[in-house]
Amino acid sequence: MQALFRLIPSMDKLIKSPQGTDLIHQFGHHAFVTQARSFIEEGRQQIVKNQTLPSFLQDESALFALIETSLQAMRQPQIKKVFNLTGTVLHTNLGRGLWSESAITAATDAMRHNVALEFDIEQGQRSHRDNAVSALISQLTGAEAACVVNNNAAAVLLMLATFAQGKEVIVSRGELVEIGGAFRIPDIMKQAGCTLVEVGTTNRTHLKDYRNAITENTALLMKVHTSNYQIQGFTSSVSEEELVELGKAFNLPVISDLGSGSLTDMTLLNLPAEPMAQQKVAAGVDLVSFSGDKFLGGPQAGIIVGKQAQIAALQAHPLKRVLRCDKVILSALEATLRHYLFPEKLTDELPTLHLLTQPLYVLKVKAEQLKQALSKHLTSNFNVQIEESVAQIGSGTLPTETLASIAVTISADKQSDLLALEQRFKAFSCPIIGRFAQQKFWLDLRSATQFEQLITMLEKE
């Protein structure tokens, strides 16, 4: 065994060899030595276990090849781009929606340059980082002011912590939602230091239920949009307008968590209706929160709109600094919001709305192209068809609503063949992600972006 150990090349030899020098030039001394030591240690362990010299230590070129492969792998990001053909447009696990080109440009400009983030150029003095976006949001929603944090869950936390710490918040039992990642309204209330007061039943809540629950310790009346589930049948709920009137009678603010929320009437785009922030502001709700990366079509953010006095209190709370957005997100959000100043162009500019509104005949043309491009990758034991499909918006938005779509489906006699095919698709330079249903593998065109790049990849690989 000692004789075998003596055959292991020394680190000094590896470093001084031409191949080692070249790798050190490419990757640096530290990374090279770390990986070389790792393989040498692996070789030592194999000698102890098998009493033989591993093949990669018998030939130094093989060892250098392993080191280089390992170093190259270290440079490859694990968060890699994929083609989303699941049929879920806003797929949380795949990063939700894409940004508009204007938002991408604004974000990259903010990355490369200093920006007037907290600086008023005209006045030559410090300003608040939310000012530019706040003014734009107010223009679009009719609210007096706005506040921006890093997601809608943070927005809810900030509202509760600011106005209800140590006090009670009244919410309908049917609105105590849990969203992805086990985010629950009751848990957020606990973290914010307030007490949840549930009223009504799961399916029916009346105005009197809120009224009877109000005490001297009540701080807020709260509405939560049940965006990721729906109760049907014998139901009853209280509108924001009714809650606002009740709040005025008892001098209590009303807050509304819209979840996804929207700044445009989705029905005009032949899409299912989604609550609009403008409607809640017009109804007199004091604070309304919604997401930036769902129907809005922008970066991840939590947007709060409402009365000037309440927004000012949110901005002054210590949590606001913890939850605030950076220059990149704010720049991208501003660029996204500016699209809403030109509503007729939204489906052209915002990728999310473009995908959701694609006509079926366009999807059929794409399906034909995809089927043709797939032919070189599929053997005769696969059956490929173009079929009608059912897509969904995703990210907990309108869960009971579906969108007509078109898909390329692949079936096989053996399920193992389909599973192997899925792994092949995932091994492409840009993995293709589809879905399994009805013993077929579905590649849904409703959610497919960068379609030309997808076809090009399939033709080359």
Side-chain angles (χ1 to χ4, degrees):
M1 189 181 299
Q2 291 301 317
L4 292 175
F5 282 147
R6 285 193 290 272
L7 295 175
I8 298 175
S10 69
M11 184 61 67
D12 185 62
K13 181 182 179 182
L14 294 177
I15 290 173
K16 292 180 179 179
S17 69
Q19 292 162 292
T21 300
D22 182 56
L23 290 177
I24 289 173
H25 178 73
Q26 289 185 60
F27 301 99
H29 182 273
H30 173 79
F32 172 80
V33 170
T34 300
Q35 293 306 305
R37 282 176 177 163
S38 175
F39 284 113
I40 289 173
E41 179 57 30
E42 181 182 335
R44 290 179 181 277
Q45 292 176 6
Q46 289 192 32
I47 290 173
V48 172
K49 181 179 179 180
N50 303 320
Q51 308 295 308
T52 59
L53 187 68
S55 59
F56 64 85
L57 291 180
Q58 295 175 20
D59 179 5
E60 284 189 9
S61 61
L63 176 58
F64 282 118
L66 281 176
I67 294 172
E68 181 175 9
T69 299
S70 178
L71 291 170
Q72 292 286 8
M74 289 169 60
R75 282 183 168 171
Q76 300 303 311
Q78 291 300 301
I79 302 177
K80 58 170 60 178
K81 63 181 181 180
V82 300
F83 289 113
N84 174 16
L85 279 83
T86 63
T88 300
V89 175
L90 295 175
H91 201 304
T92 298
N93 303 137
L94 301 181
R96 294 185 177 165
L98 304 183
W99 297 5
S100 71
E101 290 301 318
S102 296
I104 293 169
T105 299
T108 53
D109 281 347
M111 293 177 195
R112 292 191 178 100
H113 306 287
N114 292 119
V115 295
L117 180 65
E118 296 182 1
F119 183 73
D120 186 320
I121 295 175
E122 291 185 2
Q123 299 297 322
Q125 61 186 19
R126 181 170 182 168
S127 66
H128 195 283
R129 67 173 54 204
D130 286 358
N131 279 358
V133 174
S134 177
L136 186 53
I137 296 171
S138 296
Q139 180 181 351
L140 293 169
T141 64
E144 294 177 8
C147 171
V148 182
V149 288
N150 57 19
N151 62 23
N152 190 52
V156 174
L157 176 65
L158 180 60
M159 291 189 294
L160 294 173
T162 301
F163 298 107
Q165 190 170 38
K167 296 185 177 182
E168 297 174 349
V169 179
I170 302 175
V171 185
S172 168
R173 183 170 282 110
E175 297 174 4
L176 297 177
V177 302
E178 175 181 321
I179 63 174
F183 166 86
R184 293 179 171 183
I185 289 294
D187 294 339
I188 291 298
M189 288 195 174
K190 183 177 179 181
Q191 290 298 319
C194 54
T195 301
L196 165 66
V197 176
E198 302 177 33
V199 296
T201 62
T202 301
N203 61 320
R204 290 178 68 82
T205 301
H206 306 284
L207 187 62
K208 65 181 180 181
D209 295 321
Y210 289 92
R211 183 184 296 109
N212 293 338
I214 294 174
T215 69
E216 61 182 13
N217 201 39
T218 301
L220 296 171
L221 304 178
M222 184 176 183
K223 283 284 292 182
V224 180
H225 178 53
T226 55
S227 57
N228 63 349
Y229 74 95
Q230 190 176 87
I231 300 174
Q232 297 178 325
F234 188 57
T235 64
S236 178
S237 62
V238 179
S239 68
E240 278 88 350
E241 288 86 349
E242 294 174 289
L243 272 190
V244 167
E245 290 303 313
L246 181 62
K248 289 179 180 177
F250 288 86
N251 195 30
L252 290 172
V254 176
I255 66 173
S256 179
D257 168 17
L258 292 186
S260 175
S262 176
L263 291 182
T264 191
D265 186 350
M266 291 296 167
T267 61
L268 297 179
L269 303 176
N270 296 316
L271 294 171
E274 178 74 3
M276 297 172 61
Q278 299 95 312
Q279 296 169 336
K280 307 309 176 185
V281 170
V285 177
D286 293 272
L287 294 172
V288 181
S289 72
F290 54 98
S291 297
D293 59 342
K294 295 184 180 179
F295 264 136
L296 189 69
Q300 178 179 296
I303 301 168
I304 308 171
V305 298
K307 306 291 177 59
Q308 178 68 56
Q310 279 92 340
I311 294 293
L314 295 175
Q315 298 287 19
H317 196 281
L319 266 180
K320 175 54 167 65
R321 184 174 182 85
V322 176
L323 303 173
R324 71 183 184 179
C325 297
D326 73 344
K327 64 175 183 175
V328 175
I329 295 299
L330 288 172
S331 297
L333 179 59
E334 181 189 0
T336 302
L337 291 166
R338 291 200 175 278
H339 291 305
Y340 285 86
L341 298 174
F342 310 93
E344 293 86 1
K345 298 295 183 180
L346 285 176
T347 56
D348 296 329
E349 301 293 343
L350 294 177
T352 295
L353 295 184
H354 175 73
L355 291 174
L356 293 173
T357 57
Q358 290 179 102
L360 288 178
Y361 72 84
V362 171
L363 299 184
K364 288 179 181 178
V365 172
K366 290 182 177 180
E368 293 288 354
Q369 291 179 265
L370 178 59
K371 181 181 178 182
Q372 179 63 34
L374 286 170
S375 60
K376 64 174 289 187
H377 298 276
L378 301 176
T379 55
S380 59
N381 60 317
F382 291 106
N383 179 36
V384 186
Q385 300 291 333
I386 295 176
E387 300 187 46
E388 293 182 353
S389 180
V390 175
Q392 60 182 4
I393 296 168
S395 293
T397 301
L398 298 170
T400 63
E401 303 285 352
T402 57
L403 303 173
S405 187
I406 301 294
V408 174
T409 65
I410 306 171
S411 57
D413 291 336
K414 296 180 180 179
Q415 188 71 6
S416 58
D417 288 342
L418 279 183
L419 293 174
L421 179 64
E422 181 198 25
Q423 293 304 312
R424 281 178 53 199
F425 284 170
K426 289 180 179 179
F428 282 133
S429 56
C430 183
I432 297 174
I433 311 298
R435 74 174 189 269
F436 282 100
Q438 302 170 11
Q439 297 183 319
K440 300 176 183 178
F441 190 59
W442 294 67
L443 299 174
D444 195 306
L445 279 303
R446 174 67 67 187
S447 58
T449 61
Q450 309 298 325
F451 183 73
E452 293 76 13
Q453 294 182 21
L454 168 63
I455 297 301
T456 299
M457 181 190 73
L458 288 171
E459 291 174 345
K460 289 184 177 180
E461 296 198 11

